[in-house]
Amino acid sequence: MTTEQTFLAVFTGSGTGPRRQAWNALPAADRQAREQHAMAAWGARMDTHGDSIVHAGGPLGGTKRVSPEGVADLSNALAVFVVVRAASHETAARMFEGHPHFTIFPGDAIEVMPVLPVPQR
């Protein structure tokens, strides 16, 4: 019997890197056609892995950083998140190989990490 674990997949991308610059330089019609193609491919992947998806997640907006110094705006590379279940960390990571986030869209990578249990008090 295999016990499945929960994993958080965080999609990253630079707003100023060369891949994003090339994307932004595309004519609007070409960019829109690629976006439509990418979203269809993304939807197909979600369908393929539907049984493993715990939370479909979504795009991430602007970030506020909260620290002992207070609240401040922050720029980071976090773009999208998804929560999945898989038998292993390796299996979870392989779900995202060849993903449209970086094969069609100008995303950089997808980082997959286990969601660990909260320690008992």
Side-chain angles (χ1 to χ4, degrees):
M1 177 173 114
T2 303
T3 302
E4 291 195 324
Q5 298 172 277
T6 302
F7 297 89
L8 174 66
V10 179
F11 296 54
T12 62
S14 169
T16 59
R19 291 174 49 93
R20 174 55 74 171
Q21 289 176 355
W23 177 269
N24 291 343
L26 291 171
D30 289 351
R31 196 171 47 249
Q32 184 178 28
R34 288 186 187 195
E35 286 171 356
Q36 289 175 347
H37 173 65
M39 291 310 296
W42 196 308
R45 290 186 71 91
M46 294 293 275
D47 291 343
T48 297
H49 297 292
D51 290 345
S52 298
I53 297 170
V54 175
H55 189 295
L60 299 170
T63 302
K64 296 279 187 195
R65 182 174 191 264
V66 182
S67 71
E69 288 76 34
V71 177
D73 291 330
L74 175 73
S75 179
N76 60 40
L78 306 179
V80 176
F81 81 99
V82 174
V83 180
V84 299
R85 289 189 72 67
S88 70
H89 200 167
E90 183 74 18
T91 301
R94 292 203 177 276
M95 285 184 206
F96 298 96
E97 288 182 314
H99 197 282
H101 174 67
F102 52 78
T103 60
I104 304 171
F105 280 125
D108 294 332
I110 301 170
E111 299 177 10
V112 180
M113 62 212 78
V115 176
L116 302 174
V118 175
Q120 298 297 315
R121 296 200 263 168

Short mmCIF file of all heavy atoms in Angstrom, two decimals, residues 89-120:
data_model
loop_
_atom_site.label_atom_id
_atom_site.label_comp_id
_atom_site.label_asym_id
_atom_site.label_seq_id
_atom_site.Cartn_x
_atom_site.Cartn_y
_atom_site.Cartn_z
N HIS A 89 8.12 12.41 -3.63
CA HIS A 89 8.57 13.73 -4.08
C HIS A 89 8.94 13.66 -5.57
O HIS A 89 8.58 14.55 -6.36
CB HIS A 89 9.76 14.14 -3.23
CG HIS A 89 10.03 15.61 -3.24
ND1 HIS A 89 10.88 16.18 -2.33
CD2 HIS A 89 9.63 16.63 -4.02
CE1 HIS A 89 10.97 17.48 -2.54
NE2 HIS A 89 10.21 17.78 -3.58
N GLU A 90 9.65 12.63 -5.95
CA GLU A 90 10.05 12.43 -7.35
C GLU A 90 8.83 12.34 -8.26
O GLU A 90 8.79 12.97 -9.32
CB GLU A 90 10.91 11.16 -7.46
CG GLU A 90 11.43 10.91 -8.85
CD GLU A 90 12.57 11.83 -9.26
OE1 GLU A 90 13.20 12.45 -8.37
OE2 GLU A 90 12.82 11.95 -10.46
N THR A 91 7.83 11.58 -7.86
CA THR A 91 6.61 11.43 -8.67
C THR A 91 5.90 12.77 -8.81
O THR A 91 5.44 13.13 -9.89
CB THR A 91 5.68 10.39 -8.03
OG1 THR A 91 6.38 9.14 -7.96
CG2 THR A 91 4.40 10.21 -8.83
N ALA A 92 5.83 13.51 -7.73
CA ALA A 92 5.19 14.83 -7.77
C ALA A 92 5.94 15.75 -8.73
O ALA A 92 5.33 16.44 -9.55
CB ALA A 92 5.13 15.44 -6.38
N ALA A 93 7.25 15.77 -8.64
CA ALA A 93 8.05 16.64 -9.52
C ALA A 93 7.87 16.25 -10.98
O ALA A 93 7.74 17.12 -11.85
CB ALA A 93 9.52 16.56 -9.11
N ARG A 94 7.84 14.97 -11.26
CA ARG A 94 7.71 14.52 -12.66
C ARG A 94 6.38 14.92 -13.29
O ARG A 94 6.26 15.01 -14.51
CB ARG A 94 7.93 13.03 -12.75
CG ARG A 94 9.36 12.66 -12.43
CD ARG A 94 9.78 11.34 -13.02
NE ARG A 94 11.17 11.07 -12.74
CZ ARG A 94 12.20 11.54 -13.45
NH1 ARG A 94 11.96 12.29 -14.50
NH2 ARG A 94 13.43 11.24 -13.13
N MET A 95 5.36 15.20 -12.48
CA MET A 95 4.08 15.68 -13.02
C MET A 95 4.25 16.98 -13.80
O MET A 95 3.42 17.30 -14.65
CB MET A 95 3.08 15.94 -11.89
CG MET A 95 2.48 14.75 -11.27
SD MET A 95 1.25 15.33 -10.05
CE MET A 95 1.25 13.96 -8.94
N PHE A 96 5.31 17.71 -13.50
CA PHE A 96 5.48 19.04 -14.08
C PHE A 96 6.56 19.10 -15.17
O PHE A 96 6.84 20.17 -15.70
CB PHE A 96 5.78 20.05 -12.96
CG PHE A 96 4.66 20.13 -11.98
CD1 PHE A 96 4.68 19.39 -10.80
CD2 PHE A 96 3.54 20.90 -12.24
CE1 PHE A 96 3.62 19.44 -9.90
CE2 PHE A 96 2.47 20.96 -11.35
CZ PHE A 96 2.52 20.22 -10.18
N GLU A 97 7.14 17.95 -15.52
CA GLU A 97 8.11 17.94 -16.60
C GLU A 97 7.45 18.39 -17.90
O GLU A 97 6.31 18.02 -18.19
CB GLU A 97 8.70 16.53 -16.79
CG GLU A 97 9.64 16.11 -15.70
CD GLU A 97 10.23 14.75 -15.93
OE1 GLU A 97 9.48 13.81 -16.29
OE2 GLU A 97 11.45 14.61 -15.75
N GLY A 98 8.15 19.21 -18.67
CA GLY A 98 7.63 19.67 -19.95
C GLY A 98 6.40 20.55 -19.86
O GLY A 98 5.62 20.66 -20.80
N HIS A 99 6.18 21.19 -18.71
CA HIS A 99 4.97 21.98 -18.48
C HIS A 99 4.93 23.22 -19.36
O HIS A 99 5.96 23.84 -19.63
CB HIS A 99 4.91 22.38 -17.00
CG HIS A 99 3.56 22.84 -16.57
ND1 HIS A 99 3.09 24.09 -16.87
CD2 HIS A 99 2.57 22.19 -15.90
CE1 HIS A 99 1.87 24.21 -16.39
NE2 HIS A 99 1.53 23.07 -15.79
N PRO A 100 3.73 23.62 -19.83
CA PRO A 100 3.60 24.83 -20.65
C PRO A 100 4.09 26.11 -19.96
O PRO A 100 4.39 27.09 -20.64
CB PRO A 100 2.09 24.94 -20.93
CG PRO A 100 1.53 23.62 -20.62
CD PRO A 100 2.46 22.92 -19.68
N HIS A 101 4.19 26.09 -18.63
CA HIS A 101 4.68 27.27 -17.91
C HIS A 101 6.04 27.71 -18.46
O HIS A 101 6.33 28.90 -18.54
CB HIS A 101 4.78 26.96 -16.41
CG HIS A 101 5.41 28.05 -15.61
ND1 HIS A 101 4.83 29.29 -15.44
CD2 HIS A 101 6.60 28.09 -14.93
CE1 HIS A 101 5.62 30.05 -14.69
NE2 HIS A 101 6.69 29.35 -14.37
N PHE A 102 6.88 26.74 -18.84
CA PHE A 102 8.19 27.10 -19.37
C PHE A 102 8.46 26.59 -20.77
O PHE A 102 9.48 26.92 -21.36
CB PHE A 102 9.32 26.67 -18.41
CG PHE A 102 9.26 25.24 -17.98
CD1 PHE A 102 9.69 24.21 -18.80
CD2 PHE A 102 8.79 24.91 -16.73
CE1 PHE A 102 9.64 22.89 -18.39
CE2 PHE A 102 8.73 23.61 -16.29
CZ PHE A 102 9.16 22.59 -17.14
N THR A 103 7.56 25.78 -21.34
CA THR A 103 7.75 25.34 -22.72
C THR A 103 7.02 26.24 -23.72
O THR A 103 7.39 26.28 -24.88
CB THR A 103 7.31 23.88 -22.93
OG1 THR A 103 5.92 23.76 -22.61
CG2 THR A 103 8.13 22.93 -22.08
N ILE A 104 5.99 26.94 -23.26
CA ILE A 104 5.25 27.87 -24.12
C ILE A 104 5.29 29.27 -23.51
O ILE A 104 5.71 30.22 -24.16
CB ILE A 104 3.80 27.42 -24.34
CG1 ILE A 104 3.75 26.00 -24.92
CG2 ILE A 104 3.07 28.40 -25.26
CD1 ILE A 104 2.36 25.38 -24.98
N PHE A 105 4.85 29.39 -22.26
CA PHE A 105 4.94 30.67 -21.54
C PHE A 105 6.42 30.93 -21.22
O PHE A 105 7.23 30.00 -21.23
CB PHE A 105 4.15 30.61 -20.23
CG PHE A 105 2.67 30.81 -20.38
CD1 PHE A 105 1.78 29.86 -19.88
CD2 PHE A 105 2.15 31.94 -21.00
CE1 PHE A 105 0.41 30.05 -19.99
CE2 PHE A 105 0.78 32.14 -21.12
CZ PHE A 105 -0.10 31.19 -20.62
N PRO A 106 6.77 32.17 -20.85
CA PRO A 106 8.17 32.47 -20.54
C PRO A 106 8.55 32.20 -19.08
O PRO A 106 9.47 32.82 -18.55
CB PRO A 106 8.27 33.97 -20.86
CG PRO A 106 6.91 34.49 -20.53
CD PRO A 106 5.96 33.40 -20.95
N GLY A 107 7.87 31.27 -18.42
CA GLY A 107 8.20 30.96 -17.04
C GLY A 107 9.57 30.32 -16.92
O GLY A 107 10.10 29.76 -17.89
N ASP A 108 10.16 30.40 -15.74
CA ASP A 108 11.51 29.89 -15.52
C ASP A 108 11.53 28.43 -15.07
O ASP A 108 12.28 27.63 -15.61
CB ASP A 108 12.24 30.73 -14.47
CG ASP A 108 12.50 32.15 -14.94
OD1 ASP A 108 12.63 32.38 -16.15
OD2 ASP A 108 12.56 33.04 -14.07
N ALA A 109 10.71 28.10 -14.07
CA ALA A 109 10.79 26.77 -13.48
C ALA A 109 9.57 26.52 -12.61
O ALA A 109 8.75 27.41 -12.40
CB ALA A 109 12.06 26.65 -12.62
N ILE A 110 9.48 25.29 -12.10
CA ILE A 110 8.45 24.92 -11.13
C ILE A 110 9.17 24.22 -9.98
O ILE A 110 9.88 23.24 -10.19
CB ILE A 110 7.38 24.00 -11.76
CG1 ILE A 110 6.72 24.70 -12.95
CG2 ILE A 110 6.35 23.58 -10.70
CD1 ILE A 110 5.83 23.81 -13.79
N GLU A 111 9.00 24.74 -8.78
CA GLU A 111 9.63 24.17 -7.60
C GLU A 111 8.59 23.37 -6.84
O GLU A 111 7.50 23.87 -6.56
CB GLU A 111 10.20 25.29 -6.73
CG GLU A 111 11.26 26.10 -7.46
CD GLU A 111 11.80 27.26 -6.66
OE1 GLU A 111 11.50 27.36 -5.45
OE2 GLU A 111 12.54 28.07 -7.26
N VAL A 112 8.92 22.12 -6.55
CA VAL A 112 7.98 21.20 -5.90
C VAL A 112 8.55 20.81 -4.54
O VAL A 112 9.69 20.34 -4.45
CB VAL A 112 7.74 19.95 -6.77
CG1 VAL A 112 6.76 19.00 -6.10
CG2 VAL A 112 7.25 20.36 -8.17
N MET A 113 7.72 21.02 -3.49
CA MET A 113 8.19 20.72 -2.14
C MET A 113 7.11 20.02 -1.35
O MET A 113 5.91 20.29 -1.56
CB MET A 113 8.63 22.00 -1.43
CG MET A 113 7.52 23.01 -1.25
SD MET A 113 8.07 24.73 -1.31
CE MET A 113 8.29 24.98 -3.05
N PRO A 114 7.49 19.11 -0.44
CA PRO A 114 6.48 18.45 0.39
C PRO A 114 5.87 19.42 1.39
O PRO A 114 6.53 20.32 1.88
CB PRO A 114 7.25 17.34 1.11
CG PRO A 114 8.67 17.77 1.07
CD PRO A 114 8.84 18.65 -0.13
N VAL A 115 4.58 19.22 1.65
CA VAL A 115 3.90 19.93 2.72
C VAL A 115 4.03 19.02 3.94
O VAL A 115 3.46 17.93 3.96
CB VAL A 115 2.42 20.22 2.38
CG1 VAL A 115 1.72 20.88 3.56
CG2 VAL A 115 2.34 21.07 1.12
N LEU A 116 4.78 19.45 4.92
CA LEU A 116 5.08 18.61 6.09
C LEU A 116 3.98 18.73 7.13
O LEU A 116 3.29 19.77 7.21
CB LEU A 116 6.42 19.03 6.69
CG LEU A 116 7.61 18.96 5.71
CD1 LEU A 116 8.85 19.54 6.36
CD2 LEU A 116 7.83 17.53 5.24
N PRO A 117 3.82 17.70 7.95
CA PRO A 117 2.81 17.78 9.01
C PRO A 117 3.19 18.83 10.05
O PRO A 117 4.38 19.07 10.30
CB PRO A 117 2.81 16.38 9.62
CG PRO A 117 4.08 15.75 9.20
CD PRO A 117 4.52 16.43 7.94
N VAL A 118 2.19 19.45 10.61
CA VAL A 118 2.43 20.43 11.68
C VAL A 118 2.80 19.66 12.94
O VAL A 118 2.12 18.69 13.30
CB VAL A 118 1.15 21.28 11.92
CG1 VAL A 118 1.34 22.22 13.10
CG2 VAL A 118 0.77 22.03 10.66
N PRO A 119 3.90 20.06 13.60
CA PRO A 119 4.28 19.35 14.84
C PRO A 119 3.17 19.45 15.88
O PRO A 119 2.50 20.49 15.99
CB PRO A 119 5.53 20.10 15.31
CG PRO A 119 6.04 20.80 14.09
CD PRO A 119 4.83 21.11 13.26
N GLN A 120 2.98 18.39 16.64
CA GLN A 120 2.00 18.37 17.70
C GLN A 120 2.45 19.25 18.85
O GLN A 120 3.63 19.31 19.18
CB GLN A 120 1.79 16.94 18.21
CG GLN A 120 1.26 16.00 17.15
CD GLN A 120 -0.11 16.40 16.65
OE1 GLN A 120 -0.98 16.73 17.44
NE2 GLN A 120 -0.31 16.40 15.35
#
